[in-house]
Amino acid sequence: MGVKKMERADDLMTASDAGRILGVSVDMVRVLAKNGELPFMSTISGVRLFRRADVAGLARRRERARSQTRLRGMK
């Protein structure tokens, strides 16, 4: 029986992981980071890492925006 790791808000993830959660490409994650929409930190080697809470928050905001756009289209 495997042990399930608890996910925490401060867990760090790669651009690939963030992209999977957001439903976008790694390149789009980089654009979101560059534009300041998704906070990140960089390792010494330049790899961007993202906090799980920041990615989840952006995913919620993007979903809310999509929902509002769909509702406006129904009027």
Side-chain angles (χ1 to χ4, degrees), residues 25-36:
S25 69
V26 172
D27 288 337
M28 185 62 188
V29 171
R30 290 184 188 119
V31 169
L32 292 168
K34 181 180 177 188
N35 291 342

Side-chain angles (χ1 to χ4, degrees), residues 1-7:
M1 201 184 323
V3 176
K4 184 174 180 182
K5 181 182 174 216
M6 297 232 359
E7 295 176 350

Side-chain angles (χ1 to χ4, degrees), residues 18-69:
R20 238 179 265 116
I21 290 170
L22 294 169
V24 300
S25 69
V26 172
D27 288 337
M28 185 62 188
V29 171
R30 290 184 188 119
V31 169
L32 292 168
K34 181 180 177 188
N35 291 342
E37 296 178 60
L38 185 58
F40 67 95
M41 60 189 75
S42 293
T43 65
I44 292 172
S45 61
V47 175
R48 290 183 183 101
L49 297 174
F50 304 88
R51 285 182 58 238
R52 181 174 300 283
D54 294 331
V55 174
L58 180 57
R60 282 191 300 273
R61 290 191 302 275
R62 289 171 59 92
E63 182 55 39
R64 229 178 286 129
R66 278 193 293 268
S67 295
Q68 290 173 352
T69 299

